[in-house]
Amino acid sequence: MRKIIATASALGLLTTGAMAEDALSVQVKHAGAQASTVGSAEYFTGAVRIDSPFKGTGSARVGGATVTFEPGARTAWHTHPLGQTLIVTAGAGQVQHWNGPVQTIRPGDMVWIPPGVKHWHGASGRTGMSHIAIAESLDGKAVEWLEKVSDDQYRQQP
Amino acid sequence: MRKIIATASALGLLTTGAMAEDALSVQVKHAGAQASTVGSAEYFTGAVRIDSPFKGTGSARVGGATVTFEPGARTAWHTHPLGQTLIVTAGAGQVQHWNGPVQTIRPGDMVWIPPGVKHWHGASGRTGMSHIAIAESLDGKAVEWLEKVSDDQYRQQP
């Protein structure tokens, strides 16, 4: 059997088979398998780390990652075409929609940002915050980035 | 302003307004706001607790919960029409697709179960396991339940 696979592989016959197998297999990415990346200064203020990104396949629209904000760090204002779920896993942070109250979020808190709602999220001024962020893509796009959250806007904390 | 809102509320004029506001507001559910529920014996073997369920609104399809399996507990075999993401948060557990290897999963591991793939997940025999489970609904349905995972099937652990 091994010989057949090796031969087929050498002949380039396994591409379709491997793709088909992916669509039929549970895929496990162990902790540590994906390197951390840094949140772009174009879309974030302060130090932001992105870990364990995930994305559905086939007809799925879901994707996300764990995002860690150092104290004072936050996203720019943005919207999601199909909304976003945040699950806070560490620290204490903030979330606010445009003209809305700044709300404090802590581990175990769940946040739903409805489609199209302009908002930001991030750490508090004194403590960092980590959350899992989950959003669906529409036409391949899960977020629309807007202007930065100014220091004055950010200072309006509870 | 308060008087106007109180009057409008008394007149039952705020229902539409409140619904519209929900679609425009960040919604925070703090830890402890939702009571734990128990995984149905119809779909699970052993003691299973479900916490912090979440569900998108509007055009969103996403939903999920944190699921905690006591040692030996597991789902029945099942499929998801649009796949499922698991993010392991505690303990050590198992995941397997039909005729596939039993894979061990630990905190920080990410699992993708592609659309239509028959599989189960749960605790290991000696330790409990918690994961966040995320799935999209198709025509209002996020899972199709199949037969239970027998003790013999479950014992085939690595």
Side-chain angles (χ1 to χ4, degrees), chain B:
Chain B
M1 184 63 188
R2 238 181 236 173
K3 198 173 165 187
I4 293 170
I5 291 173
T7 306
S9 178
L11 293 171
L13 297 174
L14 280 190
T15 313
T16 311
M19 283 173 66
E21 195 180 319
D22 268 2
L24 299 172
S25 300
V26 164
Q27 293 156 32
V28 178
K29 281 188 188 159
H30 291 296
Q34 302 184 90
S36 299
T37 57
V38 169
S40 161
E42 199 174 343
Y43 308 129
F44 295 92
T45 301
V48 175
R49 192 179 73 245
I50 299 167
D51 285 290
S52 301
F54 60 94
K55 198 164 176 10
T57 59
S59 304
R61 305 193 298 206
V62 76
T66 296
V67 189
T68 297
F69 301 84
E70 295 302 310
R74 66 267 187 181
T75 67
W77 290 100
H78 61 290
T79 64
H80 301 281
L82 293 170
Q84 185 178 51
T85 305
L86 306 177
I87 303 174
V88 184
T89 56
Q94 317 285 346
V95 61
Q96 181 186 24
H97 62 257
W98 188 254
N99 285 330
V102 177
Q103 298 188 68
T104 298
I105 48 177
R106 296 191 176 84
D109 290 353
M110 318 287 296
V111 181
W112 171 244
I113 296 128
V117 170
K118 180 174 174 176
H119 71 289
W120 66 269
H121 33 112
S124 72
R126 295 174 56 222
T127 64
M129 188 268 288
S130 296
H131 62 49
I132 297 166
I134 305 155
E136 296 170 57
S137 293
L138 184 65
D139 302 325
K141 203 173 169 185
V143 57
E144 179 165 3
W145 290 107
L146 305 167
E147 75 275 18
K148 292 284 185 77
V149 175
S150 71
D151 287 346
D152 273 357
Q153 290 172 327
Y154 182 70
R155 272 189 214 110
Q156 293 172 3
Q157 293 193 26

Side-chain angles (χ1 to χ4, degrees), chain A residues 25-50:
Chain A
S25 299
V26 164
Q27 295 156 31
V28 179
K29 281 187 190 159
H30 291 295
Q34 303 184 91
S36 298
T37 57
V38 169
S40 161
E42 200 175 342
Y43 308 131
F44 295 92
T45 300
V48 175
R49 191 177 74 246
I50 298 167

Side-chain angles (χ1 to χ4, degrees), chain A residues 84-88 93-97 100-114 119-121 129, chain B residues 21-22 24-34 52-55:
Chain A
Q84 185 179 50
T85 305
L86 306 177
I87 304 174
V88 185
Q94 317 286 343
V95 61
Q96 181 185 26
H97 63 258
V102 176
Q103 298 188 68
T104 298
I105 48 177
R106 295 192 176 84
D109 290 353
M110 317 289 296
V111 182
W112 170 244
I113 297 129
H119 71 290
W120 66 269
H121 33 111
M129 187 269 286
Chain B
E21 195 180 319
D22 268 2
L24 299 172
S25 300
V26 164
Q27 293 156 32
V28 178
K29 281 188 188 159
H30 291 296
Q34 302 184 90
S52 301
F54 60 94
K55 198 164 176 10

